[in-house]
């Protein structure tokens, strides 16, 4: 979801908006304090799968519609209150179907209060041939909050003719509580483009991902931990860099196929969680 007042795709069409709000119970366990999940969104009940962070609630996002179709404008808001801990992931990848002149607009709004912990780790978007998609993610994060965030996609032509999506625009902005921008990543790929403006910029790789970890006073050491993980991954072209002010680390990677992409993202998640908590996460069943 974009920030209030921002526009997703066609300004004349209001997005369908889902809202999840996590809070911490007196017992220390986090729970869904509020949920508004209209069609086509659906969620599971919270699961408690890990030793650390303590009380972490894992929720799976699901789709009741079989993907995103032309004209869809879908927005998701996730809020994590003070000291609460949540993981939001998806049961499977989201299919973005052929646009045929129609746009799919996806928006994500993540808000982390002081002491909050959030892992927002959706499976990759699958951009079908001739898909036209815009995805914008807006994050507001408190100074001492922790965020693990993944944003990824792969291209697919079900007819095997090498057709590409028509267009894909991606924007990620992470701000402090006061509105100062910590990270801004924006790119646009087009089927007819060449060089940096087109899908040819992926250099033959069908899959792309960005992976960000924001944690106070965790910069160079975290970055080195992620670089060691990347060095062990096959069929991946990637780099990791420290964010300014020791606020965390940022990874960009290309993968040859979906299997390599999934393995890389799982390894990065496990490495980041282990670095931050000292405890490896339990595998997720999907």
């Amino acid at each position: 979801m974009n920030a209030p007042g921002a526009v997703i795709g066609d300004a004349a069409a209001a997005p369908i908006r889902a809202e999840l709000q996590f809070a911490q119970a007196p017992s220390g366990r986090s729970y869904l304090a509020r949920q508004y999940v209209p069609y086509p969104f659906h969620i599971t009940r919270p699961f408690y799968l890990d030793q650390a962070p303590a009380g972490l609630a894992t929720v799976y996002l699901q789709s009741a519609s079989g993907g995103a179709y032309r004209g869809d404008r879908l927005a998701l808001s996730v809020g994590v209150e003070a000291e609460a801990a949540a993981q939001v992931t998806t049961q499977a990848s989201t299919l973005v179907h052929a646009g045929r002149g129609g746009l799919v607009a996806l928006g994500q709004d993540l808000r982390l209060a002081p002491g909050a912990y959030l892992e927002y780790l959706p499976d990759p978007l699958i951009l079908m041939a001739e898909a036209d998609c815009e995805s914008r993610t807006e994050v507001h994060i408190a100074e001492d909050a922790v965020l693990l965030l993944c944003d990824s996609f792969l291209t697919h032509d079900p007819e095997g003719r090498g057709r590409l999506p028509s267009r894909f625009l991606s924007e990620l902005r992470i701000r402090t509580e006061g509105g100062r921008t910590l990270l801004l990543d924006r790119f646009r790929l087009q089927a007819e483009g060449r060089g940096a403006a087109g899908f040819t910029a992926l250099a033959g790789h069908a899959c792309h991902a960005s992976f960000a970890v924001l944690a106070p006073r965790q910069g160079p050491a975290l970055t080195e931990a992620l670089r060691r993980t990347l060095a062990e991954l096959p069929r991946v072209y990637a780099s990791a860099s420290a964010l300014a002010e020791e606020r965390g680390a940022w990874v960009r990677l290309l993968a040859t196929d979906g299997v390599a992409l999934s393995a890389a993202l799982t390894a990065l998640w496990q490495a980041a969680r282990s670095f931050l908590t000292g405890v490896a996460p339990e595998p997720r069943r999907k």
Side-chain angles (χ1 to χ4, degrees):
M1 185 182 77
N2 280 349
V7 175
I8 301 178
D10 184 357
I16 298 171
R17 191 180 309 278
E19 299 179 9
L20 304 176
Q21 188 77 15
F22 294 88
Q24 186 185 60
S27 65
R29 174 177 279 194
S30 298
Y31 67 99
L32 262 176
R34 167 176 164 76
Q35 55 176 299
Y36 177 70
V37 189
Y39 179 88
F41 294 97
H42 188 70
I43 61 170
T44 63
R45 65 174 177 83
F47 294 94
Y48 299 90
L49 306 172
D50 300 291
Q51 300 178 42
L56 177 78
T58 294
V59 169
Y60 289 83
L61 286 169
Q62 301 168 312
S63 173
S65 67
Y69 298 84
R70 64 176 181 173
D72 280 354
R73 282 148 178 81
L74 306 176
L76 172 68
S77 175
V78 179
V80 186
E81 297 180 11
E83 306 303 325
Q87 182 194 64
V88 177
T89 184
T90 54
Q91 187 169 349
S93 293
T94 297
L95 293 174
V96 180
H97 295 277
R100 299 185 178 89
L103 172 69
V104 171
L106 307 174
Q108 297 73 228
D109 179 28
L110 313 178
R111 296 180 180 267
L112 286 73
Y117 180 101
L118 174 63
E119 295 179 356
Y120 182 70
L121 305 172
D123 287 338
L125 295 175
I126 300 179
L127 303 177
M128 306 295 277
E130 300 179 13
D132 186 356
C133 180
E134 295 181 1
S135 177
R136 291 184 170 89
T137 301
E138 184 85 18
V139 179
H140 288 81
I141 184 169
E143 186 70 27
D144 63 346
V146 175
L147 171 68
L148 278 67
L149 182 149
C150 178
D151 184 17
S152 59
F153 73 87
L154 59 91
T155 62
H156 177 63
D157 180 3
E159 298 180 6
R161 294 193 284 136
R163 296 176 301 160
L164 293 169
S166 298
R167 186 178 65 101
F168 180 60
L169 182 148
S170 174
E171 180 177 296
L172 167 64
R173 188 187 298 268
I174 301 178
R175 305 176 191 264
T176 65
E177 284 183 301
R180 182 168 56 86
T181 297
L182 294 173
L183 186 153
L184 173 61
D185 182 62
R186 182 190 295 126
F187 62 86
R188 183 177 66 181
L189 302 173
Q190 292 183 248
E192 68 273 15
R194 291 294 183 270
F199 282 92
T200 51
L202 301 182
H205 296 79
C207 310
H208 170 278
S210 299
F211 185 85
V213 183
L214 277 85
R217 298 172 298 281
Q218 301 292 347
L222 173 59
T223 304
E224 285 305 313
L226 297 181
R227 284 174 177 168
R228 289 193 297 270
T229 299
L230 292 171
E232 299 175 357
L233 297 174
R235 308 197 308 279
V236 168
Y237 181 74
S239 65
S241 58
L243 297 178
E245 303 173 12
E246 295 193 353
R247 291 300 299 266
W250 167 262
V251 174
R252 173 97 70 193
L253 68 86
L254 300 174
T256 56
D257 53 59
V259 174
L261 177 65
S262 177
L265 294 176
T266 298
L268 288 169
W269 165 60
Q270 292 173 335
R273 174 82 75 84
S274 298
F275 180 91
L276 294 171
T277 69
V279 181
E282 293 293 327
R284 268 37 179 180
R285 298 178 58 185
K286 297 188 179 183

